[in-house]
Amino acid sequence: MKEYIIRLVYVEMLGHDASFGYIHAVKMIHDDSLLVKRTGYLAVTLFLNEDHDLIILIVNTIQKDLKSDNYLVVCAALNAVCKLINEETIPAVLPQIVELLAHPKEAVRKKAIMALHRFYQKSPSSVSHLVSNFRKRLCDNDPGVMGATLCPLFDLITNDVNSYKDLVISFVSILKQVAERRLPKAYDYHQMPAPFIQIKLLKILALLGSSDKQASENMYTVVGDIFRKCDSSSNIGNAVLYECICCVSSIYPNPKLLESAADAISRFLKSDSHNLKYMGIDALGRLIKISPEIAEQHQLAVIDCLEDPDDTLKRKTFELLYKMTKSTNVEVIVDRMIDYMNSINDNHYKTEIASRCVELAEQFAPSNQWFIQTMNKVFEHAGDLVNIKVAHNLMRLIAEGFGEDDDTADSQLRSSAVESYLHILGEPKLPSVFLQVICWVLGEYGTADGKYSASYITGKLCDVAEAYSNDETVKAYAVTALMKIYAFEIAAGRKVDMLPECHSLMEEFLASHSTDLQQRAYELQAVIGLDAHAVESILPSDASCEDIEVDKALSFLNDYIQEAIEKGAQPYIPESERTGMLNISNFRNQDHHEASSHGLRFEAYELPKQTVQARIPPASLASTELVPVPEPMYPRESYQTTTVPSVSSDAASTELKLRLDGVQKRWGRQTHFPSTSTSNSTSLKTVNGITQVDGSNTANSRTRETYDSRKQVEISPEKQKLAASLFGGPSKTEKKSATGHKSSKPSSHMVKSHAPKSSMEVASEKTSVQQPPDLLDFGEPTVKSTAPSLDPFKDLEGLLEPTTQVSSAVNHSSTAAVTKSPDIMGLYTETTAGAHHKDSDILSGLSNPPMTNMVGGTTTMQVAQSSKGPNLKDSLEKDALVRQMGVTPSSQNPNLFKDILG
Amino acid sequence: MGIRFILMVNKQGQTRLAQYYEWLTLEERRALEGEIVRKCLARNEQQCSFVEHRNYKIVYRRYASLFFLVGVDNDENELAILEFIHLLVETMDRHFGNVCELDIMLHLEKAHFMLEEMVMNGCIVETSKANILTPVQLLEKT
């Protein structure tokens, strides 16, 4: 039988289904023979996952085997526990496993700890009361058990560092003992004392010492010892060394340790083994966060790795470059990345590197021109892989310029973008996302500088729409762009004559299956039919980034509410009060009389209880949307809500139904004005979009400002000198003395090998060598005025600053991104949770027509409103607008339509 | 988690031993094995023994006709994993005496038992050869 089961394991291993035999494996675990039982356990762990139906049959056996006298049986059962017990079955075996923690056999204790570890991974709450056991087992007198305990402790500490600070001393003393060879010889591996335990301990110490000076100080001695003791001629010694470097770069910095780490890294990088080079590059990437200057010494090695044919090494090097990118070297690095991106065809990595390029380009772009070109390249080669958000970001940047208040620069940027896009359109096949950007930009700015005629641009757009006839999004973008161009033409008082191909395109779209396309085509038709004045107000030129205020309080509805209330409608009750009311209405089910004595009496409308219960949530939600939070202007309303907290919910629901009817009529009427409502919605979107992106934008512009100020302040005498010392061979020595010994070290290093290297490398060397002076100004602008620029040590001081600066910039943008995402999330979670399509439709119906009047209206009110939690309303509005465009809100990006219509 | 899977594959791309520490369906396993084996077999001696694949890394080492492939998380110490492979081979060597592909084929369960002693929940739990081999040898005697 055993042989057959092993054959089955083979069958599965070679990729064939062997589920017919699973039951026999399950039977085997009942066998009396230990070997057969163990094989049975092995087979079930290989065959089954924890949610398999047969697990039920196994749990019982496991329970029995955990009680066995034979420790091998217990071990076999514990192995199975680690693989097969799921969340629901944990309680069935947990007590027995806790007992086994005190088993006389160390193998059993070890496996029991690992079983608990598994439970912790599966469901941390199930073993939260047993965490102290892990601490206890750390002091087990068997090193194997102690070593195993480090695994769960590592996980625990990763999740919650602060509760385990007290263990630092224990870990340090264990590590010390291990390093001093106090463990049994059996744990030695290639003359290293228990290297795997050392590595695990170093990992834990790195976690515990991270940004904790006090804890780190306890570790310095032992880590220093290990640095000294490690034998760097064996692989395992280097593995421990590498772990030491990781630890040093994570804990509170200590100059001596950093020095040894830098030494170890240079040994790694100089080694012939690719494995060690790889580790060296990785370690360099870690250490560079703390001491950026060490990269200078290794530039050549890094460049060698970049040129290496080995793909893995190359990628790791790109990762390092990504970490050390600054405004000075961004061009070289991004160019390199794009080149590499083009040369690979692994989509997973391509996506990653494309997004990195975009991130770096956004963060450090030296000029607009360069930025546009870089983005074009990225889109051209990896357009289908980059996030759609990147495209929207690009459009926004083109629309808003680069945060400088310089209109000519902005328009220059736009016309250069238009030009490059018109050029690129000649390419045979372009990714959809890129085409969307192109269409949008052409629509918005194609005719703005008067260089190209409207008919030329429209002709191009028609070509796009025809060439990519199976991509509806692109077609939609193209139609909207056409509409914008015609609108601008009409507004400028020129006569519009549609090209014949445009006519035929429109006819096709008018009969399109996509409602979205149809809608756009009809809008286009309607716009063309209008006179110049009307067109200008619908689609003002270059208005994509103007802020349009949204009346979130829906104050234009006040009259309507007044009217409704006068007719006897129920006033709006804030949500907080409403939940209380629900409770009361539940209560009233039991004691009707008491509850009805409160407040207004609406018994006449009362509905059967069951239906009421079911209907309350939607109804109450609807009321949130329909009526704004009470305002001082409505004394009556607020009076009612405050004095009558327990309004009859039944009545509310019926009243709301009445109101819905009225509203629906209104909505129905409004749909006759598609163009107004859409342009309206566009603007609303834009506002939302802009407020969302503002954060990152300011972050970006801030970094850019600092760069600019640097550029202006600095006449760059040092830069020139450094450049001279790089390239001007004869005058090398005197320049060196001027720049100081520290910075000359890398440069002279460079000069030596400069000649045989390709010009590309030289460029990159130059840029990175130029860093110190730049950074100096960047980080400490005051140094400039106080100290003469020749002081090299100031340079070095300055080196430490910029990383924090840069990282803070990164933080800015990342927080902005974070704040952005919950917005979107909120939007959809709330709408789906609330899920009242009808309601939201109504809302938009209500909000749209008056919105046109209210634009530029009450800001203060809006602000007051927003503090009261407009999120739900806001999101429902968005949702409704999206819906209006004929798209279900499952799309994760509400900004999509802003861009199409903006 | 650390280690996600351990594979032994011969030069022809046939799997000789597979142990996953996270559940994958048969199709997923087959696809994964195919992809990474192709990637690793294409590499030469000089290139480094680590390959990035999707969101994790593969550390591999070749012994005669047999490749040992270990999939690890990104923050794992690759060099240590490389040495762990060697420790596994040394352990099997001590048990079988001059271990070869055939030994693993014919004693698949024993190779698995050793692995079970060394790695649990994707973590290295035991590195002492004596401790690893004692239970396996005891099983043989029964």
Side-chain angles (χ1 to χ4, degrees):
Chain A
M1 197 63 209
K2 177 179 153 249
E3 285 305 311
Y4 289 128
I5 286 295
I6 290 171
R7 292 284 182 283
L8 268 191
V9 173
Y10 262 112
V11 166
E12 287 251 302
M13 208 164 66
L14 296 174
H16 308 282
D17 182 52
S19 51
F20 59 88
Y22 291 175
I23 188 71
H24 298 287
V26 174
K27 273 193 213 151
M28 255 174 85
I29 63 173
H30 298 285
D31 202 286
D32 291 331
S33 153
L34 189 55
L35 187 58
V36 176
K37 190 192 254 301
R38 175 96 204 239
T39 314
Y41 269 124
L42 172 70
V44 281
T45 56
L46 291 172
F47 289 149
L48 307 181
N49 70 348
E50 52 185 35
D51 299 320
H52 199 278
D53 296 336
L54 291 173
I55 295 293
I56 294 236
L57 300 174
I58 297 168
V59 173
N60 223 340
T61 323
I62 289 179
Q63 279 179 320
K64 204 180 79 212
D65 286 345
L66 285 177
K67 289 189 197 120
S68 165
D69 294 334
N70 188 338
Y71 88 95
L72 290 174
V73 173
V74 181
C75 283
L78 281 169
N79 275 334
V81 165
C82 282
K83 285 268 197 151
L84 298 177
I85 295 293
N86 60 17
E87 243 184 290
E88 285 100 69
T89 38
I90 286 175
V93 293
L94 190 58
Q96 282 170 309
I97 286 173
V98 174
E99 264 172 50
L100 291 174
L101 286 175
H103 198 274
K105 266 288 178 193
E106 61 277 350
V108 176
R109 293 202 298 271
K110 185 171 67 194
K111 285 187 193 283
I113 276 286
M114 291 316 283
L116 280 187
H117 177 217
R118 172 72 175 179
F119 296 163
Y120 175 76
Q121 285 175 340
K122 284 278 143 200
S123 106
S125 56
S126 65
V127 290
S128 53
H129 57 290
L130 298 168
V131 166
S132 64
N133 282 302
F134 292 130
R135 286 163 174 263
K136 254 187 257 163
R137 284 300 131 217
L138 188 63
C139 313
D140 199 288
N141 36 22
D142 181 73
V145 181
M146 183 273 295
T149 315
L150 296 176
C151 301
L153 279 172
F154 177 76
D155 281 7
L156 284 166
I157 292 169
T158 313
N159 292 334
D160 175 18
V161 177
N162 290 325
S163 327
Y164 297 90
K165 293 281 185 196
D166 57 313
L167 286 179
V168 171
I169 307 282
S170 325
F171 287 131
V172 167
S173 79
I174 295 172
L175 185 55
K176 196 155 172 263
Q177 290 175 38
V178 174
E180 285 169 356
R181 299 177 182 274
R182 303 268 193 86
L183 292 192
K185 269 265 179 271
Y187 284 91
D188 283 11
Y189 175 80
H190 291 196
Q191 281 85 51
M192 278 291 285
F196 295 98
I197 292 178
Q198 284 193 40
I199 287 169
K200 201 86 201 172
L201 279 166
L202 283 166
K203 270 190 203 289
I204 291 176
L205 289 183
L207 284 176
L208 285 169
S210 147
S211 61
D212 181 343
K213 193 175 179 189
Q214 207 192 340
S216 303
E217 272 166 359
N218 291 318
M219 307 168 188
Y220 290 153
T221 342
V222 70
V223 177
D225 279 352
I226 295 175
F227 259 125
R228 246 173 292 119
K229 281 181 187 162
C230 267
D231 155 34
S232 60
S233 61
S234 71
N235 256 341
I236 192 69
N238 287 323
V240 178
L241 267 181
Y242 166 79
E243 208 54 59
C244 282
I245 299 170
C246 294
C247 180
V248 166
S249 62
S250 162
I251 64 178
Y252 191 87
N254 170 299
K256 251 180 98 182
L257 287 180
L258 285 177
E259 207 174 293
S260 350
D263 281 351
I265 288 176
S266 59
R267 246 179 294 145
F268 282 171
L269 286 174
K270 279 178 197 139
S271 133
D272 285 332
S273 149
H274 274 70
N275 287 344
L276 285 185
K277 274 189 189 163
Y278 176 92
M279 302 308 271
I281 294 279
D282 186 85
L284 195 57
R286 287 170 192 267
L287 209 60
I288 210 164
K289 284 179 226 151
I290 302 173
S291 46
E293 74 275 6
I294 70 155
E296 315 273 305
Q297 316 161 24
H298 301 302
Q299 282 176 53
L300 279 183
V302 171
I303 285 161
D304 276 346
C305 291
L306 199 59
E307 307 271 289
D308 202 278
D310 187 343
D311 218 34
T312 315
L313 198 53
K314 221 178 217 175
R315 284 186 193 184
K316 201 78 201 170
T317 315
F318 274 116
E319 209 169 284
L320 172 69
L321 288 182
Y322 168 73
K323 282 180 192 154
M324 54 190 268
T325 305
K326 312 213 173 60
S327 59
T328 41
N329 55 11
V330 63
E331 289 178 60
V332 189
I333 290 180
V334 172
D335 278 352
R336 275 285 171 126
M337 281 184 167
I338 291 174
D339 282 349
Y340 179 62
M341 189 175 78
N342 298 343
S343 70
I344 56 173
N345 44 17
D346 168 1
N347 276 354
H348 180 81
Y349 193 65
K350 216 169 180 174
T351 315
E352 194 180 310
I353 203 160
S355 65
R356 280 184 172 177
C357 283
V358 171
E359 191 186 318
L360 291 178
E362 279 181 4
Q363 217 177 334
F364 300 110
S367 73
N368 301 344
Q369 195 82 24
W370 180 84
F371 180 76
I372 297 271
Q373 276 169 359
T374 309
M375 295 303 271
N376 287 353
K377 275 188 229 158
V378 173
F379 274 116
E380 233 176 296
H381 298 294
D384 291 323
L385 302 170
V386 294
N387 196 322
I388 184 82
K389 268 192 199 132
V390 173
H392 293 165
N393 238 355
L394 175 61
M395 293 187 219
R396 199 198 74 228
L397 275 168
I398 293 174
E400 292 178 349
F402 278 77
E404 302 141 25
D405 287 324
D406 186 358
D407 280 342
T408 49
D410 284 354
S411 55
Q412 250 175 12
L413 161 75
R414 287 168 195 160
S415 51
S416 74
V418 168
E419 206 153 321
S420 65
Y421 289 155
L422 283 174
H423 182 68
I424 286 168
L425 273 181
E427 308 264 327
K429 178 117 180 67
L430 293 168
S432 163
V433 180
F434 191 34
L435 280 168
Q436 291 168 24
V437 176
I438 292 178
C439 286
W440 187 84
V441 171
L442 288 185
E444 198 73 27
Y445 305 111
T447 54
D449 61 352
K451 206 164 161 187
Y452 299 100
S453 71
S455 60
Y456 179 70
I457 303 275
T458 49
K460 282 275 181 195
L461 286 168
C462 289
D463 288 347
V464 170
E466 267 163 36
Y468 298 88
S469 56
N470 46 11
D471 188 338
E472 300 216 325
T473 328
V474 169
K475 280 198 282 187
Y477 268 91
V479 175
T480 312
L482 283 175
M483 177 162 76
K484 274 187 252 180
I485 288 175
Y486 286 132
F488 299 152
E489 287 295 295
I490 295 170
R494 278 180 290 246
K495 201 177 160 318
V496 173
D497 36 329
M498 258 185 157
L499 298 171
E501 64 251 46
C502 188
H503 265 301
S504 61
L505 199 67
M506 278 313 116
E507 266 159 41
E508 183 196 320
F509 287 169
L510 284 174
S512 166
H513 284 300
S514 153
T515 46
D516 185 36
L517 270 182
Q518 235 182 34
Q519 165 90 355
R520 282 167 208 274
Y522 274 112
E523 278 169 21
L524 172 59
Q525 265 195 339
V527 167
I528 288 173
L530 292 170
D531 65 274
H533 185 68
V535 169
E536 195 162 17
S537 57
I538 297 170
L539 284 169
S541 166
D542 190 19
S544 61
C545 45
E546 259 156 47
D547 292 358
I548 292 160
E549 286 171 15
V550 182
D551 182 12
K552 283 183 188 153
L554 309 180
S555 54
F556 48 83
L557 288 177
N558 287 345
D559 286 345
Y560 177 73
I561 293 159
Q562 197 77 32
E563 206 179 300
I565 289 176
E566 268 159 23
K567 280 187 201 151
Q570 192 64 39
Y572 168 68
I573 303 145
E575 206 158 10
S576 53
E577 285 171 44
R578 214 174 320 121
T579 48
M581 183 194 76
L582 274 179
N583 292 339
I584 290 168
S585 73
N586 284 342
F587 176 51
R588 201 186 41 189
N589 289 343
Q590 294 155 1
D591 190 349
H592 186 264
H593 180 72
E594 194 201 321
S596 61
S597 68
H598 293 283
L600 300 172
R601 282 157 208 270
F602 285 102
E603 275 86 354
Y605 292 102
E606 198 155 72
L607 296 170
K609 288 286 188 261
Q610 288 83 347
T611 50
V612 168
Q613 291 308 325
R615 211 174 292 172
I616 282 171
S620 49
L621 236 158
S623 62
T624 337
E625 300 323 313
L626 282 171
V627 192
V629 185
E631 269 150 38
M633 302 152 85
Y634 286 96
R636 182 174 166 186
E637 188 180 306
S638 55
Y639 163 78
Q640 278 173 347
T641 48
T642 47
T643 53
V644 194
S646 65
V647 194
S648 154
S649 59
D650 311 352
S653 67
T654 44
E655 281 305 317
L656 276 162
K657 260 164 91 188
L658 287 177
R659 204 181 288 176
L660 291 182
D661 295 338
V663 165
Q664 263 162 342
K665 263 180 221 151
R666 248 194 116 121
W667 163 233
R669 201 149 31 90
Q670 287 308 326
T671 46
H672 295 304
F673 304 99
S675 61
T676 35
S677 66
T678 21
S679 68
N680 195 0
S681 63
T682 321
S683 42
L684 193 138
K685 277 291 171 213
T686 322
V687 173
N688 289 335
I690 296 248
T691 44
Q692 277 169 11
V693 296
D694 257 349
S696 67
N697 197 29
T698 45
N700 276 349
S701 61
R702 190 182 316 170
T703 46
R704 224 166 267 126
E705 261 161 38
T706 33
Y707 293 145
D708 285 347
S709 63
R710 165 181 62 68
K711 271 182 201 145
Q712 281 152 18
V713 173
E714 188 188 354
I715 334 280
S716 72
E718 293 131 296
K719 216 177 191 174
Q720 286 164 0
K721 265 180 209 157
L722 268 168
S725 71
L726 248 181
F727 295 107
S731 59
K732 189 173 72 188
T733 41
E734 57 170 284
K735 301 291 185 199
K736 227 198 270 182
S737 62
T739 36
H741 82 283
K742 191 75 183 180
S743 46
S744 69
K745 203 158 81 182
S747 58
S748 61
H749 189 51
M750 222 85 59
V751 171
K752 269 186 280 172
S753 53
H754 154 215
K757 288 286 158 193
S758 73
S759 61
M760 191 59 169
E761 284 161 20
V762 175
S764 73
E765 281 158 20
K766 184 183 81 179
T767 41
S768 31
V769 175
Q770 279 167 359
Q771 281 158 24
D774 292 346
L775 294 171
L776 170 74
D777 294 327
F778 185 20
E780 289 178 54
T782 45
V783 172
K784 196 93 195 127
S785 50
T786 52
S789 53
L790 296 179
D791 189 346
F793 297 103
K794 288 287 179 194
D795 285 26
L796 287 170
E797 275 175 40
L799 280 171
L800 273 174
E801 306 282 293
T803 38
T804 54
Q805 187 92 10
V806 168
S807 70
S808 78
V810 174
N811 278 345
H812 273 300
S813 53
S814 68
T815 46
V818 168
T819 49
K820 199 167 158 184
S821 57
D823 236 71
I824 297 164
M825 283 308 287
L827 202 162
Y828 289 103
T829 48
E830 271 171 333
T831 44
T832 46
H836 304 300
H837 297 184
K838 210 161 72 174
D839 300 344
S840 46
D841 272 349
I842 289 153
L843 174 75
S844 69
L846 278 173
S847 58
N848 273 329
M851 201 73 83
T852 29
N853 313 331
M854 295 309 295
V855 169
T858 51
T859 352
T860 44
M861 206 156 73
Q862 190 184 326
V863 171
Q865 229 21 72
S866 66
S867 63
K868 284 178 191 164
N871 251 339
L872 184 63
K873 245 182 278 174
D874 194 26
S875 52
L876 273 171
E877 272 171 21
K878 280 186 196 170
D879 176 49
L881 285 162
V882 172
R883 205 178 298 287
Q884 207 181 344
M885 314 310 307
V887 177
T888 41
S890 58
S891 135
Q892 281 294 310
N893 196 347
N895 286 344
L896 181 67
F897 294 96
K898 160 195 140 194
D899 298 310
I900 298 172
L901 295 156
Chain B
M1 192 64 179
I3 299 174
R4 291 170 180 234
F5 56 82
I6 297 174
L7 294 175
M8 295 180 198
V9 183
N10 72 3
K11 243 173 28 187
Q12 286 79 44
Q14 293 158 312
T15 313
R16 288 294 171 227
L17 181 145
Q19 177 67 273
Y20 290 83
Y21 296 95
E22 59 186 349
W23 180 256
L24 294 176
T25 63
L26 259 182
E27 288 73 40
E28 287 168 336
R29 290 177 188 209
R30 196 159 42 179
L32 177 100
E33 283 168 25
E35 269 176 65
I36 59 178
V37 166
R38 232 173 297 129
K39 256 189 187 177
C40 294
L41 287 178
R43 297 172 66 84
N44 63 30
E45 294 281 323
Q46 278 81 49
Q47 292 177 319
C48 63
S49 326
F50 322 123
V51 183
E52 282 173 42
H53 184 72
R54 304 213 187 141
N55 50 347
Y56 50 89
K57 289 180 292 204
I58 294 148
V59 180
Y60 71 93
R61 198 158 179 163
R62 186 181 160 177
Y63 292 90
S65 61
L66 203 57
F67 279 86
F68 286 66
L69 307 150
V70 182
V72 292
D73 282 341
N74 268 326
D75 49 357
E76 201 62 38
N77 185 334
E78 294 92 342
L79 220 46
I81 297 296
L82 198 66
E83 287 312 289
F84 168 76
I85 295 175
H86 192 68
L87 175 68
L88 174 64
V89 173
E90 280 183 7
T91 312
M92 289 199 286
D93 209 47
R94 183 183 283 191
H95 183 77
F96 295 115
N98 237 335
V99 68
C100 66
E101 193 185 332
L102 220 58
D103 286 319
I104 295 166
M105 272 183 77
L106 299 178
H107 305 279
L108 183 66
E109 78 283 5
K110 278 185 198 135
H112 266 295
F113 293 158
M114 286 178 220
L115 258 187
E116 277 183 344
E117 296 298 323
M118 295 174 82
V119 183
M120 289 179 90
N121 305 341
C123 301
I124 301 172
V125 291
E126 186 57 80
T127 51
S128 144
K129 283 173 207 137
N131 284 358
I132 298 165
L133 292 176
T134 323
V136 181
Q137 281 155 355
L138 280 175
L139 272 180
E140 259 183 351
K141 280 177 202 157
T142 55

